[in-house]
Amino acid sequence: MKPLTHVLFALLLAALQAAVLRWVGGGWFSLALLAACIVHQGLHGGNVDGSVASAGIGYVMDLTSGSTKGLMTALAVLLFIVVRATSAAVDVRSRSAFALLSGGGAFFLSLAAMILTRYTSAPEAAPGAALLPRMLLEALLTGALAPFVGMALTRIDGLFQREEAGLLR
């Protein structure tokens, strides 16, 4: 039930992000707030629940991006694995570390999608290195807004934790 709730939150967040970007940015910049959802799964989710939720969030990214189906799903699961490995080596409990990791995750998703699309599409239609400044801006803005997404996801996680009777606080 918890992975499904996270996927539904990601769907709501993607819809909200698209609506706000249409009226605020008008296409000048983009956000990858769903990368923060995947980073949260990597930090706080279990192996099975986190990977299932990450695949679901990646599927939502596939639906909203219009890219090749399965590309963002595979990259989301790969990002989940990278975050799991990073969290084992580095302490990422603070909001600033979460923001930094979310921004890095957004850049990872954008760069990996560009590279894979470049290798699989026709040379005249392949994305180029001119997109790198846009990817960096997307990563910076995602990192700046990631703590708010993290707080919302922490609240959602709180709905699934049971208090044990008899424990002192």
Side-chain angles (χ1 to χ4, degrees):
M1 185 68 177
K2 188 174 175 181
L4 179 63
T5 307
H6 282 279
V7 171
L8 290 175
F9 175 76
L11 187 61
L12 178 69
L13 185 63
L16 181 67
Q17 173 182 310
V20 169
L21 285 179
R22 169 142 168 80
W23 295 106
V24 174
W28 283 92
F29 60 90
S30 59
L31 293 173
L33 294 178
L34 298 183
C37 295
I38 297 168
V39 168
H40 179 81
Q41 291 301 318
L43 296 175
H44 301 290
N47 287 338
V48 175
D49 285 348
S51 60
V52 167
S54 294
I57 294 168
Y59 186 69
V60 170
M61 292 171 74
D62 270 336
L63 294 177
T64 59
S65 69
S67 64
T68 306
K69 295 296 180 235
L71 173 67
M72 297 309 287
T73 304
L75 290 177
V77 174
L78 185 61
L79 178 61
F80 170 78
I81 293 168
V82 168
V83 169
R84 291 294 275 196
T86 302
S87 68
V90 180
D91 184 26
V92 284
R93 288 183 284 188
S94 68
R95 287 184 183 159
S96 59
F98 178 74
L100 185 66
L101 198 56
S102 296
F107 186 72
F108 169 78
L109 288 174
S110 298
L111 186 65
M114 183 189 77
I115 290 170
L116 290 174
T117 303
R118 189 171 175 84
Y119 282 133
T120 58
S121 61
E124 59 273 358
L131 292 175
L132 282 174
R134 186 176 173 101
M135 289 180 202
L136 287 172
L137 178 64
E138 178 185 56
L140 288 173
L141 292 174
T142 300
L145 295 174
F148 300 110
V149 175
M151 288 189 296
L153 288 167
T154 302
R155 283 192 160 238
I156 290 173
D157 285 344
L159 298 174
F160 292 97
Q161 293 177 351
R162 288 184 257 166
E163 248 183 69
E164 294 184 29
L167 291 177
L168 298 176
R169 288 188 177 223

